[in-house]
Amino acid sequence: MSEIKAYGAEVVGASLKEIAIKRRDVLAKDVKIKIIYCGICHSDIHFVNNDWGMSVYPVIPGHEIIGKVVEVGKEVTKFKKDDWVGVGCLVDSCRTCASCKDHLEQYCENGFVGTYGGTDKYLGGPTFGGYSEMIVVDEDFVLSIPENLDIKAVAPLLCAGITTYSPLMHWKVKKGDKVGVIGLGGLGHMGIKFAHALGAHVVMITTSPEKAQDAKKLGADEVLISKDEKAMEAQMGTFDFLLNTVPVRHDINPYLMLLKRDATMVMVGAIEPIDPVHSGLLVLGRKTVAGSLIGGIKETQEMLDFCGKHNIVSDVEMINMQDVNQAYKRVQSSDVKYRFVIEMDSLRQS
Ligand code: NAP
Ligand code: ZN
Ligand code: ZN
């Protein structure tokens, strides 16, 4: 067991500060990773604030982890010292249930082990995430990184990337489909990039008119301002698919009106009660509201390989660990372009 530096919240809603945590020694199938970069996901903020009622303190957030392998256990076959690797939202699952057998560990029927806030079966207490110097993870939950990509901009792919890629795959979004991405933040900007790469006609649906130019640079064909009722009305019944990344409770009825017959809106943002839905908006047009949680390990690797092939990474703003509380405030006021990534050497050197 080793003690290392981490950054986290000791009680609900607290500012993040340096906290010492323990990591297990490397077991036969483990990979020990020196963390070099870690993205800031809006879920990190939800966990610090216990928005979903499942946080265990201290919370050490971080599930968009990029690092270098420093040690491998004796049975590890996929990785070796000095490899660049990634860790996303999952570090373990039961591996025996139907979901695990279908490579859908995120829906493990016995409960997956989250990178943070899960139950640490080795050391007890909660698992601790990537706002830390180092992590030890079973090789089956470690991802390979395509060599051609800008490594610091790969970090957000481990959550924002897979969370948007997976529903586009599951609902078979294809060339020519009209796809709306709701909310231009970390997830939204990846949603635009993937939908564009799949050949869809992409509409960025945003509350922030000032983001219109960026949305087009990211690959949107059109921008729809959701507060503009006339503009929303003009696009009624025209969308094949909507990806809703809004992080808080909100009224989805105006978005349902945008869907074509038989079309689906997938919720990935608000994991909490939402405002009442007028079921007439579903009945008249056989429409669906669905949800989706990150993606399994196999699909996450496929997503990374897709990014390697299409040269897709996130647009990132690099910060030091000590700037994290300020970054959280900016994410909460929708002022992020489009993902913060922490240089983890700043924690090592503090
Ligand atoms: P983010 O960077 O903060 O982006 C969210 C965007 O939503 C904002 O930039 C803003 O875009 C829009 N928005 C914010 N408040 C809004 C409101 N009241 N009404 C309408 N639009 C609003 O967040 P993120 O990291 O992309 O995460 C988004 C959500 O997904 C979070 O709740 C996160 O916890 C969740 N999440 C879920 C999964 C999953 O597996 N399902 C995985 C990762 C994250 P505009 O300025 O363009 O309107
Ligand atoms: Zn996340
Ligand atoms: Zn399982």
Side-chain angles (χ1 to χ4, degrees):
M1 203 159 58
S2 44
E3 191 168 280
I4 57 159
K5 285 195 255 182
Y7 232 72
E10 273 180 339
V11 292
V12 58
S15 290
L16 275 62
K17 61 171 195 173
E18 201 174 307
I19 296 174
I21 60 161
K22 293 186 171 63
R23 295 289 190 200
R24 69 175 180 266
D25 291 332
V26 169
L27 302 171
K29 284 200 70 207
D30 279 343
V31 179
K32 182 171 175 176
I33 302 160
K34 177 182 175 186
I35 301 175
I36 310 289
Y37 302 112
C38 187
I40 296 180
C41 176
H42 205 122
S43 302
D44 299 348
I45 303 173
H46 287 309
F47 259 86
V48 166
N49 294 333
N50 197 21
D51 289 339
W52 299 331
M54 58 170 95
S55 303
V56 184
Y57 294 85
V59 170
I60 308 291
H63 57 206
E64 294 182 339
I65 298 168
I66 290 288
K68 270 202 159 183
V69 175
V70 289
E71 190 184 335
V72 293
K74 56 181 186 306
E75 288 172 21
V76 168
T77 56
K78 293 183 222 156
F79 302 99
K80 58 181 192 318
K81 195 168 175 294
D82 290 334
D83 282 351
W84 281 105
V85 291
V87 178
C89 305
L90 309 169
V91 289
D92 207 352
S93 68
C94 85
R95 303 161 192 239
T96 55
C97 75
S99 294
C100 286
K101 284 189 176 149
D102 284 345
H103 302 286
L104 297 167
E105 300 87 0
Q106 75 276 33
Y107 303 121
C108 174
E109 287 149 36
N110 297 302
F112 66 80
V113 182
T115 303
Y116 61 83
T119 302
D120 191 325
K121 71 179 178 194
Y122 303 98
L123 302 178
T127 50
F128 296 130
Y131 298 5
S132 57
E133 296 179 282
M134 180 266 280
I135 192 165
V136 178
V137 181
D138 184 297
E139 71 164 336
D140 292 342
F141 288 78
V142 177
L143 286 310
S144 299
I145 308 299
E147 280 175 11
N148 59 315
L149 298 176
D150 175 9
I151 192 80
K152 62 182 183 302
V154 171
L157 301 179
L158 277 311
C159 176
I162 184 61
T163 302
T164 49
Y165 179 86
S166 182
L168 292 171
M169 290 296 122
H170 184 75
W171 276 272
K172 300 189 168 48
V173 166
K174 57 184 188 312
K175 198 171 166 39
D177 282 353
K178 184 170 172 181
V179 171
V181 178
I182 306 168
L184 183 42
L187 266 54
H189 95 291
M190 291 312 306
I192 299 179
K193 289 187 188 211
F194 286 132
H196 176 74
L198 293 170
H201 178 88
V202 187
V203 182
M204 183 64 234
I205 304 173
T206 176
T207 60
S208 309
E210 68 279 5
K211 292 182 185 171
Q213 223 176 349
D214 281 359
K216 291 207 170 147
K217 271 194 228 142
L218 292 164
D221 299 284
E222 281 181 64
V223 176
L224 174 57
I225 309 300
S226 52
K227 292 173 185 160
D228 180 342
E229 280 178 30
K230 279 216 173 98
M232 291 284 280
E233 214 170 287
Q235 304 239 18
M236 254 170 69
T238 62
F239 282 81
D240 295 288
F241 186 77
L242 289 172
L243 184 64
N244 185 332
T245 78
V246 176
V248 288
R249 177 176 189 148
H250 63 290
D251 179 11
I252 64 168
N253 291 294
Y255 303 123
L256 293 177
M257 287 194 258
L258 297 174
L259 292 171
K260 272 185 190 169
R261 171 177 54 80
D262 288 326
T264 299
M265 172 162 75
V266 175
M267 309 292 295
V268 290
I271 308 178
E272 60 195 55
I274 49 170
D275 289 349
V277 175
H278 193 308
S279 98
L281 291 172
L282 302 173
V283 172
L284 300 170
R286 203 163 47 184
K287 299 170 188 175
T288 307
V289 180
S292 182
L293 181 69
I294 44 175
I297 297 298
K298 182 167 177 271
E299 191 174 44
T300 305
Q301 190 62 60
E302 283 165 17
M303 178 273 311
L304 287 165
D305 297 343
F306 180 91
C307 288
K309 195 168 154 209
H310 295 268
N311 212 13
I312 293 174
V313 287
S314 278
D315 287 32
V316 298
E317 183 174 337
M318 304 305 295
I319 62 162
N320 288 334
M321 191 71 256
Q322 295 75 10
D323 303 325
V324 69
N325 292 303
Q326 188 55 31
Y328 273 24
K329 288 200 182 100
R330 284 187 51 196
V331 171
Q332 283 172 302
S333 55
S334 301
D335 175 24
V336 48
K337 289 191 170 132
Y338 280 92
R339 200 56 140 184
F340 289 110
V341 172
I342 306 162
E343 301 249 19
M344 215 43 75
D345 274 347
S346 60
L347 175 61
R348 261 185 285 277
Q349 287 154 8
S350 66

